[in-house]
Amino acid sequence: MSVFSRLSITMSRYPTLTASTQAGLIMCSGDLISQKFVEKKQTNEIDLIRTVRFGLVGFILVGPVLRTWYGFLERRVVMKTPALSAVAKMATDQLILAPTFIFNFMGLMGVLNGQTFSEIQTDIKNNYVDIMLKNYQLWPAAQMINFWLIPLRHRVLFAQSVALFWNTYLSFKTNNKSFKGKESDVPQISLAL
């Protein structure tokens, strides 16, 4: 039996656990890439606790939320053609989920990073708009592919595969205490597909 066949069986039997595990592992990977290649840390300087925290957010928040959200969109956002359905799902995703999810994600990361309420507010004030602008450079196109071409049971995996680059960016933005919100100070991370 191939790896893909095993993955498909596991996804069918344990869809939420599979989505959570995928999201957690991919978010860990994004954080490690951020630390090693964006922040240019030496291997012995990598903060594994930070990586585990970032992955835990993927496991307990990102995976379950995306699985539930994609199921909701599949049931509730139905149009006459697959292309129109994909556009409607992408628009709903980007206008409703993305802004609220990123806001909550930033708050949760602040809590997990030990920030005070005031520090979290400042971080959101300094970085939220920049993160949303980057989101809109990447996710509308990725979600069009996801909603139009990818079967429902593989959508979280597809999104998290694209999110490897996104998670690298988010890890940098939510963990770099020296960053004060000036986009020109961020090492260039290409989010283009």
Side-chain angles (χ1 to χ4, degrees):
M1 184 181 291
S2 72
V3 172
F4 186 73
S5 296
R6 287 182 185 161
L7 181 59
S8 290
I9 291 168
T10 302
M11 290 172 76
S12 296
R13 288 185 185 161
Y14 311 102
T16 302
L17 180 61
T18 303
S20 295
T21 302
Q22 291 167 349
L25 291 173
I26 292 171
M27 288 189 72
C28 282
S29 299
D31 181 72
L32 289 171
I33 291 168
S34 176
Q35 290 190 59
K36 184 70 176 164
F37 299 105
V38 178
E39 300 165 43
K40 309 243 187 268
K41 291 183 176 181
Q42 297 298 316
T43 303
N44 63 341
E45 298 173 320
I46 290 176
D47 182 351
L48 291 178
I49 300 297
R50 168 183 146 175
T51 300
V52 169
R53 277 194 308 258
F54 206 69
L56 187 62
V57 170
F59 186 80
I60 62 173
L61 178 70
V62 176
V65 167
L66 289 184
R67 182 184 178 288
T68 303
W69 178 247
Y70 291 162
F72 169 81
L73 290 176
E74 191 68 17
R75 289 185 309 276
R76 301 289 184 195
V77 181
V78 180
M79 305 301 266
K80 291 182 180 185
T81 68
L84 285 176
S85 286
V87 169
K89 288 172 186 168
M90 180 277 297
T92 304
D93 180 71
Q94 291 302 299
L95 295 173
I96 296 174
L97 182 68
T100 56
F101 190 81
I102 289 171
F103 182 85
N104 288 308
F105 175 84
M106 291 179 72
L108 179 58
M109 285 307 302
V111 169
L112 291 175
N113 287 332
Q115 292 178 310
T116 65
F117 182 73
S118 176
E119 290 171 328
I120 293 169
Q121 283 182 308
T122 300
D123 183 48
I124 290 172
K125 179 182 172 191
N126 289 341
N127 294 310
Y128 180 79
V129 171
D130 290 336
I131 291 172
M132 285 306 303
L133 290 173
K134 290 288 186 192
N135 172 84
Y136 290 132
Q137 290 176 3
L138 172 67
W139 285 108
Q143 292 296 52
M144 277 300 299
I145 293 167
N146 203 10
F147 294 128
W148 195 359
L149 302 174
I150 307 299
L152 178 60
R153 70 175 191 232
H154 296 294
R155 286 186 185 154
V156 173
L157 178 59
F158 175 82
Q160 285 304 301
S161 297
V162 173
L164 180 60
F165 303 102
W166 178 245
N167 293 335
T168 300
Y169 172 75
L170 281 181
S171 176
F172 177 80
K173 289 288 276 192
T174 58
N175 286 294
N176 191 333
K177 293 179 181 25
S178 65
F179 181 71
K180 301 298 181 202
K182 290 184 244 166
E183 197 64 35
S184 61
D185 293 343
V186 179
Q188 292 305 301
I189 302 169
S190 175
L191 297 178
L193 290 176

Short mmCIF file of all heavy atoms in Angstrom, two decimals, residues 7 11 17-27 59 153 156-157 160:
data_model
loop_
_atom_site.label_atom_id
_atom_site.label_comp_id
_atom_site.label_asym_id
_atom_site.label_seq_id
_atom_site.Cartn_x
_atom_site.Cartn_y
_atom_site.Cartn_z
N LEU A 7 -2.39 7.52 3.79
CA LEU A 7 -2.81 8.86 4.23
C LEU A 7 -4.30 9.07 3.97
O LEU A 7 -5.02 9.59 4.82
CB LEU A 7 -1.99 9.94 3.52
CG LEU A 7 -2.29 11.38 3.90
CD1 LEU A 7 -2.07 11.61 5.39
CD2 LEU A 7 -1.44 12.33 3.09
N MET A 11 -7.01 9.81 6.80
CA MET A 11 -7.80 11.03 6.73
C MET A 11 -9.29 10.73 6.79
O MET A 11 -10.05 11.49 7.38
CB MET A 11 -7.46 11.82 5.46
CG MET A 11 -6.09 12.43 5.49
SD MET A 11 -5.61 13.14 3.90
CE MET A 11 -6.56 14.64 3.94
N LEU A 17 -8.18 14.68 13.65
CA LEU A 17 -6.84 14.38 14.16
C LEU A 17 -5.80 14.50 13.05
O LEU A 17 -4.71 15.04 13.28
CB LEU A 17 -6.80 12.97 14.78
CG LEU A 17 -5.46 12.53 15.34
CD1 LEU A 17 -5.01 13.46 16.46
CD2 LEU A 17 -5.54 11.09 15.85
N THR A 18 -6.13 14.02 11.86
CA THR A 18 -5.20 14.13 10.73
C THR A 18 -4.96 15.59 10.38
O THR A 18 -3.80 16.01 10.20
CB THR A 18 -5.75 13.37 9.50
OG1 THR A 18 -5.98 12.01 9.87
CG2 THR A 18 -4.78 13.42 8.34
N ALA A 19 -6.02 16.39 10.29
CA ALA A 19 -5.87 17.81 9.97
C ALA A 19 -5.05 18.53 11.04
O ALA A 19 -4.19 19.36 10.74
CB ALA A 19 -7.24 18.47 9.82
N SER A 20 -5.30 18.19 12.30
CA SER A 20 -4.56 18.81 13.41
C SER A 20 -3.08 18.46 13.36
O SER A 20 -2.22 19.31 13.54
CB SER A 20 -5.15 18.37 14.75
OG SER A 20 -6.45 18.85 14.88
N THR A 21 -2.80 17.18 13.13
CA THR A 21 -1.41 16.73 13.08
C THR A 21 -0.68 17.37 11.91
O THR A 21 0.45 17.85 12.07
CB THR A 21 -1.35 15.19 12.97
OG1 THR A 21 -2.04 14.63 14.11
CG2 THR A 21 0.07 14.68 12.95
N GLN A 22 -1.31 17.39 10.74
CA GLN A 22 -0.70 18.02 9.57
C GLN A 22 -0.39 19.49 9.85
O GLN A 22 0.72 19.97 9.58
CB GLN A 22 -1.61 17.91 8.36
CG GLN A 22 -1.76 16.53 7.82
CD GLN A 22 -2.91 16.41 6.83
OE1 GLN A 22 -3.74 17.30 6.68
NE2 GLN A 22 -2.96 15.28 6.14
N ALA A 23 -1.38 20.20 10.38
CA ALA A 23 -1.19 21.63 10.66
C ALA A 23 -0.08 21.85 11.68
O ALA A 23 0.76 22.74 11.52
CB ALA A 23 -2.50 22.25 11.14
N GLY A 24 -0.07 21.05 12.74
CA GLY A 24 0.97 21.18 13.76
C GLY A 24 2.36 20.95 13.21
O GLY A 24 3.29 21.74 13.47
N LEU A 25 2.54 19.89 12.43
CA LEU A 25 3.86 19.58 11.87
C LEU A 25 4.31 20.64 10.86
O LEU A 25 5.48 21.03 10.85
CB LEU A 25 3.84 18.20 11.21
CG LEU A 25 3.71 17.02 12.17
CD1 LEU A 25 3.54 15.71 11.40
CD2 LEU A 25 4.91 16.94 13.11
N ILE A 26 3.39 21.10 10.04
CA ILE A 26 3.76 22.10 9.04
C ILE A 26 4.06 23.45 9.71
O ILE A 26 4.97 24.16 9.30
CB ILE A 26 2.69 22.21 7.93
CG1 ILE A 26 2.71 20.90 7.12
CG2 ILE A 26 2.92 23.41 7.03
CD1 ILE A 26 1.60 20.74 6.13
N MET A 27 3.33 23.77 10.77
CA MET A 27 3.64 25.01 11.49
C MET A 27 4.98 24.90 12.20
O MET A 27 5.74 25.88 12.24
CB MET A 27 2.51 25.38 12.44
CG MET A 27 1.29 25.87 11.67
SD MET A 27 0.00 26.58 12.68
CE MET A 27 0.75 28.12 13.20
N PHE A 59 -1.87 22.50 15.90
CA PHE A 59 -2.56 21.28 16.29
C PHE A 59 -3.91 21.56 16.94
O PHE A 59 -4.91 20.93 16.62
CB PHE A 59 -1.68 20.46 17.25
CG PHE A 59 -2.26 19.13 17.60
CD1 PHE A 59 -2.14 18.05 16.73
CD2 PHE A 59 -2.92 18.94 18.80
CE1 PHE A 59 -2.69 16.81 17.05
CE2 PHE A 59 -3.47 17.71 19.13
CZ PHE A 59 -3.36 16.64 18.24
N ARG A 153 -11.61 16.52 1.36
CA ARG A 153 -10.82 15.83 2.40
C ARG A 153 -9.33 16.17 2.33
O ARG A 153 -8.60 15.90 3.27
CB ARG A 153 -11.03 14.33 2.33
CG ARG A 153 -10.43 13.67 1.14
CD ARG A 153 -10.61 12.16 1.23
NE ARG A 153 -9.82 11.52 0.22
CZ ARG A 153 -10.28 10.65 -0.64
NH1 ARG A 153 -11.53 10.28 -0.59
NH2 ARG A 153 -9.48 10.13 -1.53
N VAL A 156 -7.37 20.83 3.80
CA VAL A 156 -6.52 21.29 4.90
C VAL A 156 -5.06 21.00 4.57
O VAL A 156 -4.19 21.85 4.77
CB VAL A 156 -6.94 20.66 6.25
CG1 VAL A 156 -5.94 21.02 7.35
CG2 VAL A 156 -8.34 21.12 6.66
N LEU A 157 -4.78 19.82 4.05
CA LEU A 157 -3.40 19.47 3.69
C LEU A 157 -2.87 20.41 2.61
O LEU A 157 -1.74 20.89 2.71
CB LEU A 157 -3.32 18.02 3.22
CG LEU A 157 -1.94 17.54 2.76
CD1 LEU A 157 -0.92 17.68 3.89
CD2 LEU A 157 -2.02 16.10 2.29
N GLN A 160 -2.27 23.79 4.19
CA GLN A 160 -1.11 23.78 5.07
C GLN A 160 0.20 23.61 4.30
O GLN A 160 1.24 24.08 4.74
CB GLN A 160 -1.27 22.69 6.14
CG GLN A 160 -2.26 23.08 7.23
CD GLN A 160 -1.88 24.39 7.88
OE1 GLN A 160 -0.79 24.54 8.44
NE2 GLN A 160 -2.78 25.37 7.81
#
